[in-house]
Amino acid sequence: MNTSLRDKWVFITGASAGFGAEGALHFAREGAHVVIGARRMERLKTVAAECSKAGAASVHFHELDVACTDNVNTFVDWLKKLTPKLDVLVNNAGGAHGIDTVAEGKDEDWEAMIESNFLGLMRVTRACLPLMMENPGSTIINIGSIAGRVAYEGGSVYCGVKAAEKQITQSLRLELNGTGIRVGTLDPGLAETEFSMVRFKGNQEKSDKVYEGLDPLVAQDIAEAMIWIATRPPHVCIDEILIKCTAQAAVHKTHRENS
Ligand code: NDP
Ligand code: 8X3
């Protein structure tokens, strides 16, 4: 039997755009209490309004920068005043910065990727665990990537932090064995969100090229997977899922029309 998300408490990091924003909307449609964080408050406010309209039991948003421990702790202190328990945590905040080779890499890009995708996930999870420990059947969904499974040129640090995400997910599952908390990784392939605009620092032409001639995944595809994972019955843990668009047979093999 599926687990209903009605009146469950769901917290999604990086919910001002892409998978996070769409995920929030999907959990709202299920009647959950939706809590969202990101750095861009205006965007969060818009997502929160959409979640309210979509049928969320309640919606709460607050500034969150997962790259800063104090900021994460402040966020979770605020969250603890809303609810004594959390049913679903989606560690989604992150992304890629640049596509330089190791030889050309920039410290600021490396640091941004490590801070958000890797340390951010650690900080948020550590702060939220007390809200989940007495809550068997609760779910942690870490957003990984196909990039964490197979490396590509220019992806050293991004592929590295997403590979680390997989090891963190597995360590956590071992550490939480016996608590009833499920932990898994949801790994998308090429998906058209703001991801490439961020990676290419606002260069629309370079961003468009990533998705040229193929039908990439869209945020809705990943949001639907989040809902499926979180609605499995408590004895079922979805350890890992890899979702790619049909045109992407593997990291290094994508079929593109007219090319
Ligand atoms: P988007 O750029 O559309 O969304 C990224 C989200 O992360 C934004 O809401 C952004 O919010 C937030 N974010 C980034 N850094 C921080 C931070 N320091 N603190 C808080 N929030 C932050 O990209 P996607 O939706 O595609 O990416 C979501 C996740 O999915 C990422 O972890 C990404 O690595 C992963 N992924 C993406 C794939 C793709 O092809 N699109 C494929 C596989 C995985 P704000 O800027 O407002 O803080
Ligand atoms: C994003 C997918 O292949 O562009 O994680 O790195 S990829």
Side-chain angles (χ1 to χ4, degrees), residues 96 144-148 152 158-159 162 188-191 195-196 199 210-211 248 251:
S145 171
I146 189 173
Y152 53 83
Y158 184 66
C159 296
K162 290 303 190 186
L190 275 177
F195 176 88
S196 292
R199 165 167 261 175
V210 175
Y211 312 108
Q248 186 177 31
V251 163

Side-chain angles (χ1 to χ4, degrees), residues 26-39:
H26 277 64
F27 281 104
R29 289 190 190 125
E30 299 288 318
H33 296 275
V34 175
V35 182
I36 52 177
R39 294 166 299 181

